[in-house]
Amino acid sequence: MRVADISLSQAITSQLSQQEASIANLEEQVSSGKSLNQPSDNPAAVTQVLQLSSEASQLTSWQANTQTATSWLGMGNNALNSALGDMQSARTLLLQALNQGTQNGTTYQAIAAQLQGLNANLLTTANTQYQGRPIFAGTSASSQAYDSAGNYLGNADSPTVIVGPGSGAGQAATLSVPGPSVFGTGAANVFSTLSAVIGQLGS
């Protein structure tokens, strides 16, 4: 066989091998339903797919955080409305107690009992939790925002989650405010104030 015939035979064999590989690749794509089964199929497309997968994962994370924020804020709004109602009721009772011309020891004790109930309700509200986490404890790991005496156990930071793109880590949503912003601080908080009034009325 001449050299020319050998070269032609080798070229045809190489071409057939390439066609077989191409057909095998197409068959793999058809059977798997994917056009990219390995990076070498299309390196540029693989890079794009990886980028899109990363973006999809980020969007999923933001969506989950948005749902968390919506639920947390909804619960916080309900808690604040409940606290406002109890505080307004306590104010009405305190004004009633100040009208000394119509009060006596028995009615003072009755008002004190009602205020005690409102104080307990407010303490329960202040310890409202979302998925086992007290919403008014800031970013603290404490299992409660307030103890049974009305002392604050959290910190002054507000918890946040990332809900979209933005500078730095992304756009953050604030989930709640620390308890003292709602119920007051130190000896001036609503629990200490009510406890002091209850003590005076019941004495």
Side-chain angles (χ1 to χ4, degrees):
M1 180 179 291
R2 293 178 302 175
V3 173
D5 293 334
I6 293 175
S7 297
L8 178 60
S9 177
Q10 290 176 339
I12 292 174
T13 300
S14 176
Q15 185 176 3
L16 287 174
S17 296
Q18 293 176 2
Q19 289 177 341
E20 287 177 358
S22 178
I23 291 172
N25 182 50
L26 290 173
E27 288 178 342
E28 186 177 4
Q29 292 177 16
V30 170
S31 63
S32 67
K34 301 177 181 178
S35 61
L36 294 173
N37 293 288
Q38 52 189 359
S40 60
D41 291 341
N42 189 333
V46 168
T47 300
Q48 186 177 15
V49 167
L50 291 175
Q51 181 179 355
L52 291 174
S53 296
S54 176
E55 291 176 358
S57 177
Q58 183 66 78
L59 288 173
T60 299
S61 176
W62 287 339
Q63 183 180 32
N65 286 347
T66 299
Q67 292 173 346
T68 295
T70 299
S71 298
W72 188 307
L73 290 170
M75 181 171 290
N77 184 62
N78 291 337
L80 290 174
N81 286 333
S82 176
L84 177 60
D86 285 337
M87 288 180 187
Q88 289 174 336
S89 295
R91 179 178 180 274
T92 298
L93 289 170
L94 289 173
L95 290 175
Q96 182 181 338
L98 289 174
N99 187 6
Q100 298 182 5
T102 60
Q103 307 299 327
N104 55 46
T106 301
T107 56
Y108 280 145
Q109 290 181 354
I111 291 174
Q114 293 179 71
L115 289 174
Q116 184 69 53
L118 290 172
N119 196 30
N121 289 343
L122 284 166
L123 189 58
T124 298
T125 299
N127 280 317
T128 297
Q129 295 188 350
Y130 176 75
Q131 294 185 345
R133 182 175 173 183
I135 65 175
F136 294 118
T139 58
S140 168
S142 175
S143 61
Q144 287 184 302
Y146 289 86
D147 63 18
S148 59
N151 298 307
Y152 187 55
L153 304 177
N155 60 28
D157 299 324
S158 296
T160 61
V161 291
I162 304 302
V163 296
S167 59
Q171 182 180 353
T174 300
L175 299 177
S176 67
V177 295
S181 297
V182 180
F183 302 99
T185 59
N189 73 22
V190 66
F191 311 111
S192 297
T193 300
L194 286 177
S195 293
V197 172
I198 291 167
Q200 292 177 359
L201 292 174
S203 60

